[in-house]
């Protein structure tokens, strides 16, 4: 949640984010994601890949630290 907030993704709760991921990539609908399901799902969904990539972009964290 902290990374999402720092990067400006505050319009989505952690629960909503998780639900979206499961809906998109839990291919066998068992309510669990294997590493293989996660990797395959993210590789196939361009929007999800972009969202996850932005979520782990820590450049805004560095800006906050530098500005005090």
């Amino acid at each position: 949640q902290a990374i999402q907030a720092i990067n400006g993704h505050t319009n989505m709760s952690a629960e909503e984010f998780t639900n979206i991921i499961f809906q998109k990539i839990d291919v066998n609908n068992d309510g669990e994601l294997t590493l293989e399901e996660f990797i395959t799902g993210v590789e196939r969904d361009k929007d999800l890949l972009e969202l996850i990539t932005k979520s782990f972009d820590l450049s805004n964290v560095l800006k906050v630290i530098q500005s005090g």
Side-chain angles (χ1 to χ4, degrees):
Q1 286 177 324
I3 291 172
Q4 288 179 342
I6 291 170
N7 283 314
H9 300 291
T10 56
N11 60 340
M12 187 183 307
S13 73
E15 184 177 353
E16 290 170 324
F17 182 77
T18 302
N19 288 338
I20 287 171
I21 290 174
F22 271 83
Q23 288 171 2
K24 289 180 177 258
I25 63 179
D26 182 16
V27 292
N28 61 2
N29 294 316
D30 66 353
E32 296 180 4
L33 287 180
T34 64
L35 181 57
E36 182 178 316
E37 278 180 313
F38 180 79
I39 291 170
T40 301
V42 171
E43 288 175 340
R44 290 182 181 166
D45 191 309
K46 190 168 80 170
D47 293 331
L48 184 56
L49 178 60
E50 183 178 337
L51 178 60
I52 289 174
T53 301
K54 286 180 181 179
S55 293
F56 290 107
D57 175 11
L58 299 178
S59 60
N60 286 331
V61 173
L62 294 174
K63 290 177 187 174
V64 170
I65 292 170
Q66 288 175 342
S67 68

